[in-house]
């Protein structure tokens, strides 16, 4: 046993494996603890679009909301304008006070409604937070309506007590919440697909890049560095298409839903998987196997900042800013649009394509700058080798 342990620890790969496992703990702890620090305090960055069409109590309701809610309230002229912004994820909820709010509030036996629209094509946390906000807003307005109604009843001194009591009872819940969920998501398994695809794709690309780097080192100088780089590019392109085909097919076969269809989902996953491959292999081409440490750090940062689990609006300024330059952000954004609904995924696709081209170009540049010894062919028997 002792000789076996000595043999293992004489191999640098054993030390590298232990250090890699340790660095996963160190890097994930540092990134996740700092990335999610202050998330609850950053709720003030979330936005609610308010549409007020009521001229009676509507302005008072809006003023009270501005002072009570810890969010950014932005006024919209029409429900259509507000819902368009909701669909683009520029706001997290639409609160609509209809024109008949005050008349229904004052009519006996009627209930006034406030309409809430929530886009489910978002991290699951958004839906639960906005539903809680809507319930709190409705309860607050109900309380105001009850107080106002009670004051009105008290002025009617000529009414019999039983009649006054009946009117007060009718005023107890004069406001009802009307919920509209756009781009509905069926089940937690579907809600988690964007994060799962990004995690599986990046880790797979990272491990694949590590093995390709080891293969490159084994091939050595017998093949020119440009031929090796060209072969890696071709392997990346073909592999991304085949692997994404398998991944997308399994997601749909196992109950996943997509509003854009299988072909769009497959092609988009092929694109972001290819981008992940170029992105992760760039660190390996430049720094060798030490680049895996940067890939581990990149994985952790992208899981935090991509918006797959926690809305980017809740993150600190550093993680929110850096997310704009990382491919996972656009992979999540485009996947949500294709899976759940929303605007076109074209902008996310163009961003991924740009990152892939830049990483491939930088990889080619690093390959060109690297000096590599070439293996000379052996001279035929009886003839001197050319110097």
């Amino acid at each position: 046993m002792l000789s076996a342990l000595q043999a293992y620890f004489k191999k640098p790969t054993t030390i590298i494996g232990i250090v890699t496992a340790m660095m996963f703990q160190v890097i994930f702890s540092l990134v996740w603890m700092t990335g999610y620090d202050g998330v609850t305090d950053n709720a003030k960055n979330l936005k609610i679009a308010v549409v007020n069409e009521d001229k009676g109590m509507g302005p008072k309701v809006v003023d009270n909301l501005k002072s009570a809610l810890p969010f950014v309230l932005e006024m919209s002229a029409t429900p259509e304008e507000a819902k368009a912004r909701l669909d683009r994820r520029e706001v997290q909820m639409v609160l609509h006070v209809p024109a008949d709010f005050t008349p229904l509030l004052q009519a006996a036996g009627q209930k006034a409604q406030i309409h809430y629209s929530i886009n489910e094509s978002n991290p699951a946390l958004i839906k639960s937070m906005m539903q809680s906000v809507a319930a709190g807003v409705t309860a607050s307005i109900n309380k105001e309506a009850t107080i106002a109604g009670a004051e009105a009843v008290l002025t009617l001194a000529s009414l019999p007590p039983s009649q006054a009591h009946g009117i007060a009872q009718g005023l107890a819940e004069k406001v009802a919440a009307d919920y509209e969920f756009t781009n509905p998501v069926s089940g937690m398994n579907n809600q988690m697909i964007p994060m799962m695809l990004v995690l599986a794709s990046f880790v797979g690309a990272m491990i694949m890049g590590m093995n390709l780097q080891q293969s490159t080192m084994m091939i050595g100088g017998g093949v020119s560095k440009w031929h090796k780089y060209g072969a890696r590019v071709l392997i990346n392109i073909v592999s991304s298409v085949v692997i994404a085909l398998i991944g997308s097919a399994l997601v749909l076969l196992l109950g996943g839903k997509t509003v854009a269809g299988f072909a769009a989902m497959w092609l988009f996953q092929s694109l972001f998987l290819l981008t992940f491959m170029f992105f992760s292999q760039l660190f390996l081409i430049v720094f060798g196997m030490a680049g895996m440490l940067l890939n581990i750090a990149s994985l952790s940062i992208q899981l935090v900042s991509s918006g797959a689990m926690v809305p980017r609006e809740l993150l600190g300024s550093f993680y929110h800013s850096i997310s704009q330059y990382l491919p996972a952000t656009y992979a999540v954004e485009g996947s949500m649009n294709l899976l759940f609904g929303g605007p076109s995924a074209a902008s996310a696709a163009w961003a991924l394509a740009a990152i892939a081209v830049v990483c491939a170009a930088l990889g080619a540049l690093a390959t060109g700058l690297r000096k590599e010894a070439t293996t000379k062919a052996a001279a035929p028997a009886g003839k001197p080798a050319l110097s």
Side-chain angles (χ1 to χ4, degrees), residues 205-227:
M206 186 172 69
I207 301 301
M208 174 181 160
M210 180 182 70
N211 284 278
L212 281 178
Q213 183 67 20
Q214 289 177 328
S215 298
T216 301
M217 295 164 63
M218 291 177 184
I219 292 171
V223 178
S224 77
K225 60 184 179 182
W226 288 116
H227 285 169

Side-chain angles (χ1 to χ4, degrees), residues 115 190 200 209 242-243 259 299-300 387:
H115 305 294
N190 278 285
V242 175
I243 294 169
V259 299
L299 169 64
S300 184
S387 59

Side-chain angles (χ1 to χ4, degrees), residues 141-318:
I141 297 174
N142 257 319
K143 183 179 178 181
E144 291 182 18
T146 301
I147 293 172
E151 289 176 352
V153 169
L154 289 174
T155 63
L156 302 175
S158 59
L159 288 177
S162 58
Q163 188 176 353
H165 178 72
I167 294 173
Q169 284 289 104
L171 290 170
E173 289 189 3
K174 289 289 288 180
V175 181
D178 175 47
Y179 293 98
E180 176 189 5
F181 295 99
T182 63
N183 304 319
V185 180
S186 173
M188 180 60 76
N189 57 335
N190 278 285
Q191 189 79 59
M192 298 302 292
I193 289 175
M195 188 191 76
M196 180 274 292
L197 288 177
V198 167
L199 179 60
S201 298
F202 193 87
V203 171
M206 186 172 69
I207 301 301
M208 174 181 160
M210 180 182 70
N211 284 278
L212 281 178
Q213 183 67 20
Q214 289 177 328
S215 298
T216 301
M217 295 164 63
M218 291 177 184
I219 292 171
V223 178
S224 77
K225 60 184 179 182
W226 288 116
H227 285 169
K228 285 186 287 188
Y229 185 72
R232 286 175 74 148
V233 170
L234 186 60
I235 291 170
N236 288 344
I237 294 171
V238 175
S239 298
S240 64
V241 174
V242 175
I243 294 169
L245 174 63
I246 295 171
S248 298
L250 280 174
V251 166
L252 297 185
L253 286 172
L254 294 172
K257 307 294 181 184
T258 172
V259 299
F262 171 75
M265 179 180 171
W266 169 33
L267 292 175
F268 186 75
Q269 187 182 355
S270 299
L271 176 59
F272 71 71
L273 181 54
L274 178 64
T275 306
F276 287 163
M277 288 176 179
F278 283 129
F279 182 86
S280 59
Q281 288 177 33
L282 175 61
F283 296 123
L284 293 166
I285 292 171
V286 175
F287 300 106
M289 293 306 293
M292 281 300 293
L293 293 178
L294 293 174
N295 276 328
I296 295 171
S298 171
L299 169 64
S300 184
I301 291 171
Q302 290 187 90
L303 287 177
V304 169
S305 66
S306 65
M309 294 182 289
V310 173
R312 292 167 59 219
E313 291 82 3
L314 296 180
L315 300 175
S317 58
F318 170 77

Side-chain angles (χ1 to χ4, degrees), residues 45-53 62 65-66 69 71-97 114-119 130 133-134 137:
N45 297 329
L46 297 179
K47 297 177 181 178
I48 297 176
V50 179
V51 182
N52 177 34
E53 296 180 318
V62 173
L65 291 177
K66 287 181 178 178
L69 292 178
F71 305 118
V72 178
L73 267 62
E74 298 184 347
M75 301 304 297
S76 294
T78 64
E80 292 73 24
E81 175 191 330
K83 288 181 181 179
R85 297 190 65 201
L86 180 71
D87 205 43
R88 296 193 297 267
R89 302 187 188 91
E90 295 173 4
V91 296
Q92 280 67 54
M93 184 170 70
V94 174
L95 189 154
H96 176 207
V97 183
I114 292 183
H115 305 294
Y116 303 97
S117 296
I118 302 171
N119 185 1
M130 292 300 112
V133 170
V137 168

